[in-house]
Amino acid sequence: MEDMKEIWWKEAIIYQIYPRSFMDSNNDGIGDIRGIISKLDYLKELGITVIWLSPIFKSPNTDNGYDISDYCSIMEEFGSIEDFKALLNGAHSIGIKLILDLVVNHTSDKHPWFLEAKKSKDNPYHDYYLWSDKANNWKSFFSGSAWEYVPELNLYYLHMFGKNQPDLNWKNPKVRQEIHNIARYWLDLGVDGFRIDTANMYSKVEGFPDCEGEGLILPVPFFINGPEIHNYHKEFYNECFSKYDCFTVGETPFTDPEEALLFVGVDRQEMNMCIHFEHIGINSYKDRQEFEPVDMHKVKEILIKWQEKLSNDGWNCLYLSNHDQPRQVSRYGNDSKYHKESAKMLGAMLHTLKGTPFIYQGEEIGMTNVGFCSISEINDIESLNNIPEFGEEKVLAFANEMGRDNARTPFHWNSGENAGFSNAKPWIRCADNYKLINAYEQKNDPDSILNFYKRLISLRKLKKALVYGDFHVHETPYDDLFCYTRELEGQSIFVLLNMSDKSYDYKVPNGKLLLSNYNHDSNIIKPYEARIIEKAL
Ligand code: TEU
Ligand code: CA
């Protein structure tokens, strides 16, 4: 079976670093590359095998690096290309690979291509972007129209994100070539692959048709998984990725497993994994007024569906958080009464399902949502752009539940000033609970979330069934319990996860207890309990 082929990225544990918030080496309040270098031994000890760096390229930072003005140079605040090479060598020398974030749906409006493009319609770069003489009813991700008017040209340009992030015209072969060259530049330097930003948004439906309905609408059918998207990825793979031992994971919102297989199916030759959003997008914030808590039964159902649909072809990416999502223990667990238990249970799930686990910085110590007190503490363009429509109060409430800033506050290294992140005031405030929740305290506590993550990671390296084993759901009478086995040539591992704060009477199969977040083996399953058992065969 093709998917049994042993490949490094299937065995990987990927750790996402948001460089601005990881570690500040020169005390200007902004995380940087030298800061990351100083923490490589922390990552080695944790056991992760791949680092994914959120964008480190030159950027005016209207969207914190997801608006790039030069793809081949390093953002000044983060350091220099020499610093980057030192990080890459340092990581490689301890057996850690490194992937970069390729943000190529759009550039910054300060990118030289765009500065040229808006000079005149005959400029050779004009056709690098998408123009129209009228603004249709498309809404951007970051509020308001997706079109911005350029009076000098009497034309509008398309921006599916902020107005400082004009969308590139992928129909133009020159644009695609430039993008391939950028990827090659970094691969030639030795990087091990890419997380590809907004990987399913490059092909827009011809003619920019209006969406049906009132007001501005996010035009999902007209820019997600568009007509040429698979051709673009196949070309990218053939021209570039196929020539390297590299790995690619594309971010693909609004994508079901059938469509996902078209990106990641082994014979498709497009990308290795995709980041789907089905379990992430299940609760909404209706009109930014009423927040619905996550229904863990739905999460379970969705994860099972993806496990089953991508079982023989393709490969899952296992994650609950990243730099765009609130903290996972706050959203899917219980960040007060069962902080430790639920953080560990969620970690156990991510390391025992079939696929590659992605840890977002701070998840391994159970960092929580922040509890921002005023709108002046909010940095994220997505939140701030909502103010004209919803007002500050609602936007603050939204930001506290779902806002992206929750994930972007400084990493908690210790209980010292600014959580040990910097001696200077950080660019964004720290969460208040860093004195209780930090890496230093947890390193020395055998029962900590951090040490549990270390054990999970070692276990996954030790038991091949946890990587390559088939996934089978194990039915129980209780919806709150998520039980499954992972089976591979004589190895059978049973996983029980209690996704709730209730207790259940349930007899688990006999076998050797490999790991648990409680210290007992009774039939009473405690709140948020996780047990990983090697079944006697
Ligand atoms: O996100 C793209 C995306 O589709 C959204 O899910 C995004 O999270 C947005 O917040 C919608 O609410 C990627 C990056 O991960 C994000 O940080 C960038 O802001 C965005 O692309 C633009 O590059
Ligand atoms: Ca710095």
Side-chain angles (χ1 to χ4, degrees):
M1 207 161 53
E2 178 70 16
D3 86 317
M4 283 300 303
K5 226 168 73 193
E6 298 191 3
I7 300 177
W8 64 265
W9 48 262
K10 293 189 176 177
E11 298 177 17
I13 312 278
I14 300 183
Y15 187 92
Q16 183 190 353
I17 291 182
Y18 196 67
R20 215 173 181 76
S21 308
F22 193 57
M23 181 64 199
D24 177 16
S25 72
N26 62 346
N27 294 310
D28 62 356
I30 299 173
D32 47 55
I33 294 173
R34 289 273 156 201
I36 302 172
I37 295 175
S38 73
K39 296 297 181 186
L40 280 175
D41 42 352
Y42 168 83
L43 297 174
K44 180 71 190 161
E45 212 182 302
L46 178 58
I48 61 102
T49 62
V50 178
I51 294 171
W52 149 23
L53 283 185
S54 273
I56 51 167
F57 317 104
K58 196 168 171 209
S59 162
N61 282 310
T62 63
D63 189 16
N64 289 348
Y66 285 87
D67 49 325
I68 296 171
S69 54
D70 181 351
Y71 288 89
C72 295
S73 67
I74 304 288
M75 193 191 302
E76 249 169 63
E77 297 118 290
F78 288 177
S80 63
I81 191 76
E82 277 64 44
D83 295 332
F84 176 73
K85 287 180 184 163
L87 170 61
L88 189 61
N89 286 335
H92 283 168
S93 72
I94 54 171
I96 292 178
K97 296 186 191 273
L98 191 147
I99 66 171
L100 294 175
D101 212 316
L102 196 59
V103 187
V104 287
N105 173 68
H106 42 268
T107 67
S108 160
D109 63 341
K110 302 295 177 308
H111 193 292
W113 299 338
F114 190 72
L115 297 178
E116 286 297 311
K118 65 174 191 182
K119 281 186 182 161
S120 80
K121 292 178 192 170
D122 329 307
N123 189 287
Y125 289 94
H126 185 73
D127 202 29
Y128 272 41
Y129 294 87
L130 295 163
W131 302 94
S132 170
D133 49 18
K134 75 173 208 344
N136 65 12
N137 69 352
W138 292 11
K139 182 181 160 60
S140 79
F141 275 98
F142 295 159
S143 306
S145 170
W147 297 95
E148 182 71 13
Y149 186 59
V150 179
E152 297 79 14
L153 298 179
N154 192 22
L155 287 175
Y156 297 81
Y157 66 85
L158 180 71
H159 61 89
M160 290 315 305
F161 292 88
K163 67 172 196 252
N164 305 106
Q165 294 164 291
D167 279 43
L168 283 164
N169 175 15
W170 275 69
K171 278 187 304 189
N172 182 343
K174 277 198 222 136
V175 167
R176 303 201 301 275
Q177 241 165 48
E178 300 258 21
I179 292 169
H180 303 163
N181 288 343
I182 292 164
R184 276 198 214 101
Y185 171 81
W186 292 104
L187 289 166
D188 287 337
L189 217 77
V191 311
D192 302 288
F194 297 98
R195 177 265 190 186
I196 307 175
D197 192 66
T198 53
N200 61 343
M201 304 188 189
Y202 311 148
S203 171
K204 278 87 179 173
V205 164
E206 210 54 49
F208 307 122
D210 263 322
C211 291
E212 273 179 43
E214 294 280 302
L216 294 176
I217 298 169
L218 189 70
V220 172
F222 301 128
F223 81 112
I224 295 287
N225 302 327
E228 293 299 321
I229 195 68
H230 294 292
N231 292 335
Y232 294 156
H233 283 292
K234 281 184 198 308
E235 181 189 58
F236 208 166
Y237 178 86
N238 285 329
E239 295 288 312
C240 182
F241 304 130
S242 63
K243 304 185 190 329
Y244 299 82
D245 175 22
C246 70
F247 149 82
T248 52
V249 50
E251 184 200 31
T252 56
F254 306 102
T255 295
D256 62 19
E258 286 72 27
E259 184 74 33
L261 278 173
L262 300 179
F263 289 106
V264 304
V266 272
D267 296 330
R268 298 283 301 174
Q269 308 214 306
E270 294 190 20
M271 59 183 74
N272 301 121
M273 276 184 237
C274 69
I275 301 174
H276 77 81
F277 280 61
E278 231 187 307
H279 61 309
I280 290 291
I282 57 172
N283 66 338
S284 62
Y285 196 75
K286 285 185 215 148
D287 297 331
R288 308 265 191 269
Q289 289 189 49
E290 189 191 317
F291 179 72
E292 294 170 6
V294 171
D295 177 348
M296 289 305 282
H297 303 154
K298 262 199 210 155
V299 172
K300 171 173 136 182
E301 204 179 290
I302 291 167
L303 291 176
I304 291 172
K305 178 173 83 183
W306 281 82
Q307 289 286 300
E308 290 174 346
K309 294 257 164 95
L310 269 66
S311 64
N312 292 321
D313 196 7
W315 191 254
N316 270 296
C317 150
L318 307 168
Y319 80 106
L320 289 173
S321 42
N322 59 37
H323 65 293
D324 292 334
Q325 301 299 328
R327 288 287 178 178
Q328 71 189 43
V329 68
S330 302
R331 188 166 182 210
Y332 302 92
N334 177 326
D335 65 7
S336 49
K337 191 164 175 205
Y338 296 110
H339 175 248
K340 211 192 242 186
E341 293 80 0
S342 64
K344 289 178 182 176
M345 184 279 290
L346 295 170
M349 180 173 89
L350 296 176
H351 288 81
T352 57
L353 285 171
K354 188 168 181 177
T356 297
F358 284 62
I359 300 172
Y360 178 69
Q361 68 179 43
E363 168 190 329
E364 75 280 18
I365 56 170
M367 281 180 66
T368 65
N369 281 354
V370 180
F372 295 101
C373 304
S374 107
I375 202 79
S376 63
E377 294 178 347
I378 301 299
N379 168 274
D380 179 19
I381 181 173
E382 183 188 36
S383 298
L384 296 176
N385 278 7
N386 273 319
I387 295 176
E389 196 178 343
F390 297 101
E392 292 190 358
E393 203 179 313
K394 280 184 197 162
V395 169
L396 182 62
F398 165 78
N400 275 320
E401 290 292 348
M402 293 296 286
R404 310 194 298 179
D405 283 330
N406 286 301
R408 300 177 178 185
T409 58
F411 187 97
H412 299 177
W413 292 107
N414 57 46
S415 59
E417 201 187 351
N418 304 320
F421 164 76
S422 175
N423 291 341
K425 186 170 179 259
W427 68 276
I428 187 171
R429 65 166 275 194
C430 287
D432 287 331
N433 57 14
Y434 72 83
K435 290 203 162 67
L436 296 170
I437 300 171
N438 66 66
Y440 180 81
E441 298 286 329
Q442 293 198 20
K443 185 179 152 86
N444 302 315
D445 169 7
D447 189 42
S448 65
I449 301 166
L450 180 61
N451 279 311
F452 190 81
Y453 263 73
K454 284 184 195 167
R455 289 197 281 272
L456 277 171
I457 293 169
S458 317
L459 194 61
R460 203 169 173 279
K461 288 178 181 166
L462 200 69
K463 302 287 178 190
K464 280 246 155 116
L466 289 178
V467 180
Y468 297 106
D470 290 335
F471 166 90
H472 298 287
V473 183
H474 183 97
E475 299 293 346
T476 81
Y478 309 112
D479 259 358
D480 285 340
L481 300 187
F482 184 13
C483 296
Y484 47 90
T485 52
R486 301 291 314 281
E487 280 166 23
L488 179 80
E489 300 153 0
Q491 236 178 43
S492 174
I493 296 179
F494 176 87
V495 181
L496 170 140
L497 306 164
N498 181 356
M499 308 183 99
S500 78
D501 57 5
K502 298 180 200 71
S503 292
Y504 289 95
D505 191 341
Y506 182 70
K507 168 101 180 74
V508 298
N510 290 333
K512 182 177 162 213
L513 183 65
L514 297 174
L515 191 57
S516 165
N517 56 352
Y518 281 90
N519 215 344
H520 76 116
D521 59 0
S522 79
N523 286 351
I524 302 302
I525 307 300
K526 305 241 171 110
Y528 295 104
E529 181 158 347
R531 276 193 224 181
I532 307 172
I533 294 167
E534 182 149 22
K535 285 207 278 187
L537 287 175

